[in-house]
């Protein structure tokens, strides 16, 4: 990864929520596209993840509130680039493929792009997590009309448009709330396939039945939200230039 100097803003910021990912970080950060800025959001790691990320040239943000959504939103708040990508920090997804996800947003053909995970081995995606994902896709289709196959954690959108969604979930429902509110606002949401590999280290959410249950509970609460009375579209959000 090439660190971008403050005088030369990165064209894309990559938010990497991080909780004890010391083993995966070197590979992940080395795969960040040249010139893009990695924002590692440390969510209370005890394995030195923040120091490793900083030594490897990443911009490190500390978010003391535990929660995947809290870490993602702290990264979004710290971002300055027009385009913001999100990617897991566990080496299950290859950051070198981020341009494929960001491309349609950069060229204006989509407002939100999700990387649809395609496991390369059976152990990359446990059965209980795959079953939960299928049910979630069905519920998203019923709630929004979007025919998505996966709530992909690798994604891209314009920064100011994301802020305009006024995302409030700070736990496992954050990625879903982004999609639901984007759909309610009439965003063009697209998917592109991404290879999904076994993660490095232990999963904090889908690696256990209990973690998966908590995630499903958070997401059901998001799906129960009523659409905003006056949603802001990606095309009219401040600073989009569209």
């Amino acid at each position: 990864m090439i660190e971008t100097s403050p005088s030369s803003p990165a064209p894309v910021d990559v938010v990497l929520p991080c909780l004890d990912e010391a083993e995966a970080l070197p590979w992940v950060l080395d795969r960040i596209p040249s010139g893009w800025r990695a924002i590692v959001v440390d969510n209370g790691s005890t394995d030195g993840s923040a120091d490793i990320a900083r030594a490897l040239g990443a911009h490190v943000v500390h978010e003391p509130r535990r929660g995947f959504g809290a870490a993602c939103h702290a990264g979004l708040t710290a971002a300055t680039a027009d385009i913001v990508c999100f990617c897991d920090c566990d080496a299950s997804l290859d950051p070198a493929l981020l341009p494929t996800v960001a491309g349609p947003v950069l060229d204006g053909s989509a407002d939100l792009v999700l990387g649809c995970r395609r496991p390369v081995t059976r152990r990359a995606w446990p059965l209980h997590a795959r079953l939960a994902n299928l049910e979630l896709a069905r519920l998203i289709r019923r709630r929004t009309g979007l025919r998505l196959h996966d709530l992909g954690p690798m994604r891209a959108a314009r920064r100011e448009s994301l802020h305009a969604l006024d995302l409030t979930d700070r736990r496992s429902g954050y990625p879903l709330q982004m999609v639901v509110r984007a759909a309610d606002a009439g965003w063009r949401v697209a998917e592109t396939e991404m290879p999904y590999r076994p993660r490095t280290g232990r999963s904090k959410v889908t690696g256990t039945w209990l973690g998966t249950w908590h995630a499903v509970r958070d997401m059901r609460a998001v799906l129960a939200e009523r659409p905003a009375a006056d949603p802001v579209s990606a095309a009219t959000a401040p600073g989009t230039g569209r």
Side-chain angles (χ1 to χ4, degrees):
M1 183 194 73
I2 299 176
E3 184 179 12
T4 307
S5 66
S7 61
S8 176
V12 178
D13 281 334
V14 182
V15 175
L16 299 157
C18 175
L19 176 58
D20 292 331
E21 304 289 4
E23 188 179 352
L25 272 168
W27 184 85
V28 169
L29 293 177
D30 185 61
R31 305 286 291 175
I32 297 292
S34 177
W36 293 21
R37 184 173 67 146
I39 301 176
V40 174
V41 184
D42 184 67
N43 200 209
S45 299
T46 59
D47 65 350
S49 288
D51 292 335
I52 292 171
R54 192 176 293 109
L56 292 171
H59 177 66
V60 177
V61 174
H62 292 277
E63 175 48 75
R65 293 174 298 170
R66 281 293 180 90
F68 183 74
C72 287
H73 203 71
L76 175 60
T77 301
T80 57
D82 183 32
I83 305 296
V84 177
C85 291
F86 296 83
C87 184
D88 282 352
C89 202
D90 58 10
S92 60
L93 293 163
D94 186 353
L97 300 176
L98 280 167
T100 303
V101 178
V105 181
L106 285 163
D107 68 22
S109 61
D111 302 310
L112 174 64
V113 180
L114 310 178
C116 179
R117 292 169 289 184
R118 288 291 177 260
V120 298
T121 67
R122 285 188 177 182
R123 64 187 187 89
W125 210 351
L127 177 60
H128 59 271
R130 280 183 282 142
L131 292 174
N133 191 67
L134 287 171
E135 172 64 7
L136 182 59
R138 185 186 69 82
L139 293 173
I140 291 173
R141 185 162 55 250
R142 187 172 70 179
R143 166 64 175 77
T144 68
L146 294 174
R147 301 189 69 83
L148 299 176
H149 300 87
D150 181 25
L151 191 68
M154 181 184 278
R155 52 184 59 193
R158 293 190 178 274
R159 175 174 56 87
E160 292 202 17
S161 296
L162 286 170
H163 280 298
L165 292 179
D166 192 26
L167 302 175
T168 56
D169 191 282
R170 294 296 181 264
R171 299 193 303 184
S172 300
Y174 187 89
L176 175 60
Q177 190 178 57
M178 184 186 297
V179 171
V180 169
R181 293 194 176 182
D184 288 346
W187 287 27
R188 296 163 299 167
V189 181
E191 282 185 319
T192 184
E193 289 194 1
M194 288 288 128
Y196 191 53
R197 300 172 176 82
R199 63 158 289 140
T200 299
R202 181 181 64 84
S203 172
K204 287 79 176 177
V205 180
T206 57
T208 66
W209 283 96
L210 181 60
T212 300
W213 182 84
H214 281 299
V216 170
R217 181 192 60 184
D218 291 345
M219 291 177 183
R220 282 189 177 277
V222 170
L223 289 167
E225 292 180 357
R226 292 187 176 184
D230 187 23
V232 179
S233 73
T236 59
T240 60
R242 295 167 45 210

